[in-house]
Amino acid sequence: MGNALAVFMGTERQRTTPDFIKSGRKRIFDVPDLEADNQDLRTKREVKAIMAAIDKEMASYKSLAELDFRAGYMTGKIYEKEAVGLITPGHRDALIGILYAKYETIRGLENGGAGCNL
């Protein structure tokens, strides 16, 4: 405000910091790789969404035939996500492992506990 008032009155003040002092203090900023961070976030979000879909699909079956179909359907969806590049092959393998662990557990419970080691 003071400098603006001095300009208005015609008596502009001199800068307090000389140029030779200011020029030596150039700041160099490290710009993070935002694209890699965004890809990691998209992958995490996609893995969480697939895990939620697995839970939803495995919870609401009416028969063993429908359970078999839903497990195969979810496997296909996981392979689709990996083919498009939304998840990595490592995530694909882990998600299919989770899916079939749940599938085998539910199937074992439905068959009277045979083959289920809880």
Side-chain angles (χ1 to χ4, degrees):
M1 172 86 184
N3 204 21
L5 185 60
V7 169
F8 179 71
M9 296 177 68
T11 57
E12 185 175 2
R13 295 184 290 178
Q14 295 292 326
R15 290 187 296 203
T16 57
T17 308
D19 285 337
F20 70 90
I21 293 175
K22 280 184 160 183
S23 64
R25 295 183 352 204
K26 291 183 181 177
R27 294 185 179 136
I28 299 172
F29 296 102
D30 184 26
V31 179
D33 187 9
L34 296 178
E35 184 59 35
D37 290 342
N38 287 340
Q39 180 64 31
D40 289 344
L41 290 175
R42 281 192 297 262
T43 301
K44 286 180 184 179
R45 185 173 43 236
E46 199 62 42
V47 168
K48 287 180 182 181
I50 294 170
M51 289 177 67
I54 289 171
D55 290 340
K56 181 182 172 190
E57 291 293 326
M58 293 288 115
S60 62
Y61 65 94
K62 293 181 179 45
S63 67
L64 286 177
E66 185 179 357
L67 181 67
D68 294 343
F69 174 79
R70 287 180 183 215
Y73 174 76
M74 285 306 300
T75 302
K77 293 300 268 184
I78 292 169
Y79 275 106
E80 273 182 23
K81 300 290 184 177
E82 191 257 336
V84 173
L86 295 175
I87 61 174
T88 64
H91 288 120
R92 179 201 63 211
D93 295 339
L95 288 168
I96 290 175
I98 291 168
L99 171 67
Y100 279 99
K102 288 185 179 203
Y103 168 75
E104 290 296 329
T105 301
I106 293 170
R107 191 155 175 80
L109 291 173
E110 287 293 321
N111 285 333
C116 183
N117 298 324
L118 292 179

